[in-house]
Amino acid sequence: MTNEPTSRLPGFYKQSLAERLDTVAARAGLNSEQRAALGRVGGLSADQADHMIENVVGLHALPLGVAANFVVNGREVLVPMAIEEPSVVAGASFMARLARAGGGFFAHVTEPHMIGQMQILDVDDVHSARLRLLEQKAQLLDLANQVDPVLIKFGGGARDLEVRLIAESPIGPFLVAHLIYDTRDAMGANAVNTACETLAPAIEQICGGRVHLRILSNLADRRLARARCAIPAAELAFDDYTGERVRDGIVEAYAFAAADPYRAATHNKGIMNGVDAVVIATGNDWRAIEAGAHAYAARSGRYTSLSTWAVDGEGRLAGTLEMPMAVGIIGGATKVHPTAQAALKVMGVTTARALAEIIVSVGLAQNLAALRALATEGIQRGHMTLHARQVAIAAGASGALIEQVAGRLVAEKTVRIDRAEAILAELRPDA
Ligand code: NAD
């Protein structure tokens, strides 16, 4: 353990929004600009947004929450999460608290190697063309390394060239060259795409064919993030549920996802609730992460769970998660969006590696939150309490009425907008 301040924030959820912001800002040592970027004002100006995408007419805001209790590789971390769905931030915080009893989350990443693809068509003989390309690998890597001197300076660059034969396709056999490219602290799409476009003429010359597509693969299976945790069974006990019952129920629930794609899709969606929320909070490309995750889940030819859950030798519930994690802290919106910068500061993250380690840990925590609820009292009880607030707001409640209406909906076990409107009319007869 380091001597950093703890990520335990008892009573945080009961504080007002302004108090929570103070707590996080003080703990992370945010300056006034970073504080404002996290806070209600929101970080992005319309002018900045106008330079980010096309045809801008405004901004679209999401709630930004902070998950407490995380310990990742012995380091206490508060985790900013941007998400519209209730229960996610609470679930992550709760499971991170349980995981502390087993030392928190242990995470690591592979080298940040991205794959750039070049589709090679119209070669006379695919087999000899493949070998001719491999013979020229050193020259091709040298050429790729001339593209981005900044990336080279930071220790990145071309690492390998592989050539695959696609034996069967609607247009017959063709070759695909994979450029393996180390993108360091960047997600790397731009560097990889530029390198592929640069290599294309040389590749055409070597194999006499035509390079068609030149683009990064989002199946970033050379850039994996892995996390594990082990939770003593006693930590899992609640109400009438013993720890062993909860633990075994979670393992049974995992078995369902491991064996059945219909269940695995929802199981992995639960993981992505946590992953995406941090990816979005840090300005990263969540479509890229989603694409990579689901393609990786189907890598055996059958879609399955990204995580595993088992009982370890000490009777603890042991979880693992492994998935592609092409996130950066340089480039794209990560540097441009002020809230993304403040989010990194809150986590104390200065490398893409450290960010990926936190994100995969949050994914595992989120998976546990869903499995624990599903394997015991069902997902709706906890979810509905939070959902009821949204329904109350949708029905027109504001201020103190939100909690009053939500409380009645939950007590009646009828969390529906028509009922919320009726309760609101009762509480506010003159409205
Ligand atoms: P970028 O090009 O904005 O920034 C990366 C560059 O920053 C590097 O190439 C390097 O020159 C420089 N750099 C400085 N310090 C660095 C360091 N320490 N480590 C690494 N690089 C450093 O961003 P990017 O990461 O290449 O691209 C990300 C963007 O590309 C995202 O916005 C994404 O949405 C978009 N994109 C994605 C896809 C896809 O996923 N298929 C395709 C195209 C574009």
Side-chain angles (χ1 to χ4, degrees), residues 267-320:
H267 177 97
N268 291 340
K269 189 273 180 185
I271 292 172
M272 301 312 285
N273 276 342
V275 167
D276 284 342
V278 190
V279 168
I280 294 169
T282 54
N284 274 287
D285 182 340
W286 74 92
R287 288 85 53 209
I289 300 298
E290 282 280 339
H294 297 291
Y296 193 66
R299 67 194 180 283
S300 69
R302 186 174 61 81
Y303 186 88
T304 187
S305 167
L306 286 166
S307 64
T308 68
W309 293 95
V311 179
D312 75 6
E314 295 169 43
R316 301 178 302 181
L317 176 68
T320 72

Side-chain angles (χ1 to χ4, degrees), residues 201-386:
I203 287 183
E204 286 177 345
Q205 216 169 29
I206 293 166
C207 51
R210 169 169 67 92
V211 174
H212 192 42
L213 301 197
R214 298 143 295 166
I215 179 79
L216 169 113
S217 170
N218 286 114
L219 176 48
D221 62 0
R222 309 294 179 91
R223 191 177 189 175
L224 298 174
R226 305 184 179 111
R228 64 181 170 83
C229 66
I231 302 173
E235 291 292 316
L236 296 164
F238 70 100
D239 294 348
D240 292 337
Y241 293 94
T242 64
E244 285 74 18
R245 185 172 162 206
V246 178
R247 177 197 66 193
D248 296 347
I250 289 171
V251 174
E252 288 164 351
Y254 153 67
F256 187 5
D260 176 28
Y262 285 93
R263 171 62 205 143
T266 323
H267 177 97
N268 291 340
K269 189 273 180 185
I271 292 172
M272 301 312 285
N273 276 342
V275 167
D276 284 342
V278 190
V279 168
I280 294 169
T282 54
N284 274 287
D285 182 340
W286 74 92
R287 288 85 53 209
I289 300 298
E290 282 280 339
H294 297 291
Y296 193 66
R299 67 194 180 283
S300 69
R302 186 174 61 81
Y303 186 88
T304 187
S305 167
L306 286 166
S307 64
T308 68
W309 293 95
V311 179
D312 75 6
E314 295 169 43
R316 301 178 302 181
L317 176 68
T320 72
L321 174 60
E322 176 183 279
M323 58 185 290
M325 194 57 72
V327 290
I329 58 164
I330 302 278
T334 62
K335 262 278 196 261
V336 179
H337 199 305
T339 310
Q341 285 292 301
L344 292 180
K345 174 85 175 147
V346 168
M347 289 184 278
V349 157
T350 54
T351 61
R353 168 181 290 266
L355 175 59
E357 288 170 350
I358 292 172
I359 295 174
V360 72
S361 301
V362 176
L364 187 57
Q366 210 70 59
N367 186 214
L368 179 60
L371 292 181
R372 177 184 168 279
L374 286 169
T376 57
E377 59 192 10
I379 204 89
Q380 288 306 75
R381 190 176 140 194
H383 195 73
M384 275 303 154
T385 313
L386 294 163

